Amino acid sequence: MNIPSLSSWPTDIEEATLIQQQLRHQVSDEDQLGDIRYVAGVDVGFKDNYTITQAAVAVLTFPELELVDKAIVTLPTCFPYIPGFLSFREVPGILKALEKLTITPNLMICDGQGIAHPRRFGIACHLGVLIDVPTIGVAKSILVGKHSDLPPEKGSRVDLIYKGKTIGVVLRSRTNVKPLYVSIGHKISLTTAVDYVFNCLTKYRLPETTRLADKLSREKVDNL
């Protein structure tokens, strides 16, 4: 996995918007998957009144979903919280955490949006394009788009529509529990993305990948 070096990083909305508009054209919605032996979840938490970013990666075997590698990194928060610009706040920490892995994941599931984003370039797209790895966005809430009523049973799914186009799938991961919003990040089709997310579910609302990454992102670490 090629982890880019971030010699510079945007600090304002104007520069960040320009980057999103430039890079979104590199997103591929076609399956470019090899043998998926390891799937990773990434998530980011914040400490000390949001001044410290704690990024975490959990690598699991697939399809067994056994944890085989993990990494946690802390660093100063480098971008303010602005809806639609989550990647500029979280990606620097995620890249640092990926550098610490000893096992390279074949597919990554992000806690956030993929193309289900106002500019079709959420955190899953941004990360996927930067590291050139298939990525999926799995968000806990809707950012843009509308959908029809979703049946309450686990496995129910309906399309998420924005400006007349399908940008994702609303997926019921547990019966009578709030759904997940799945969208492609990079190098994967929406149908395949939903299948992988569903196969990473256990007894929880979140896929096991991001559930474990979320837990790691909130752990106490020695250097804080």
Side-chain angles (χ1 to χ4, degrees), residues 26-218:
Q26 298 182 29
V27 171
S28 172
D29 60 0
E30 297 180 357
D31 289 327
Q32 300 178 52
L33 304 166
D35 182 25
I36 304 298
R37 297 180 58 199
Y38 300 105
V39 58
V42 299
D43 199 5
V44 173
F46 296 92
K47 299 180 183 295
D48 294 349
N49 198 27
Y50 298 94
T51 60
I52 298 296
T53 296
Q54 181 164 313
V57 183
V59 182
L60 286 66
T61 59
F62 187 85
E64 300 85 2
L65 302 180
E66 296 177 356
L67 182 66
V68 290
D69 198 6
K70 63 181 180 180
I72 304 173
V73 166
T74 59
L75 69 165
T77 301
C78 62
F79 199 87
Y81 173 73
I82 305 172
F85 296 89
L86 178 70
S87 64
F88 296 95
R89 188 171 171 87
E90 299 191 355
V91 162
I94 293 171
L95 294 179
K96 290 291 185 183
L98 291 173
E99 288 179 347
K100 297 179 65 175
L101 294 178
T102 59
I103 295 176
T104 301
N106 312 113
L107 174 66
M108 305 196 68
I109 299 178
C110 302
D111 178 40
Q113 310 288 351
I115 66 167
H117 179 275
R119 288 167 295 283
R120 303 292 199 277
F121 200 73
I123 186 170
C125 301
H126 202 160
L127 182 63
V129 168
L130 287 178
I131 64 176
D132 196 31
V133 169
T135 52
I136 304 170
V138 179
K140 296 185 287 291
S141 60
I142 194 170
L143 184 58
V144 293
K146 295 182 179 180
H147 61 88
S148 59
D149 292 340
L150 183 67
E153 295 81 18
K154 177 178 179 177
S156 299
R157 59 194 72 180
V158 295
D159 289 344
L160 179 64
I161 308 296
Y162 182 59
K163 294 184 177 180
K165 295 184 177 180
T166 299
I167 58 170
V169 164
V170 186
L171 174 67
R172 188 82 69 185
S173 57
R174 289 190 67 193
T175 298
N176 292 322
V177 169
K178 290 181 180 180
L180 300 174
Y181 300 86
V182 181
S183 58
I184 68 165
H186 186 45
K187 302 180 78 170
I188 194 168
S189 67
L190 182 56
T191 298
T192 302
V194 174
D195 286 344
Y196 271 105
V197 171
F198 192 78
N199 286 323
C200 287
L201 294 173
T202 56
K203 61 181 180 179
Y204 303 98
R205 180 192 179 201
L206 295 178
E208 195 67 358
T209 45
T210 42
R211 188 186 75 84
L212 292 177
D214 172 73
K215 184 178 179 181
L216 291 171
S217 73
R218 292 182 282 107

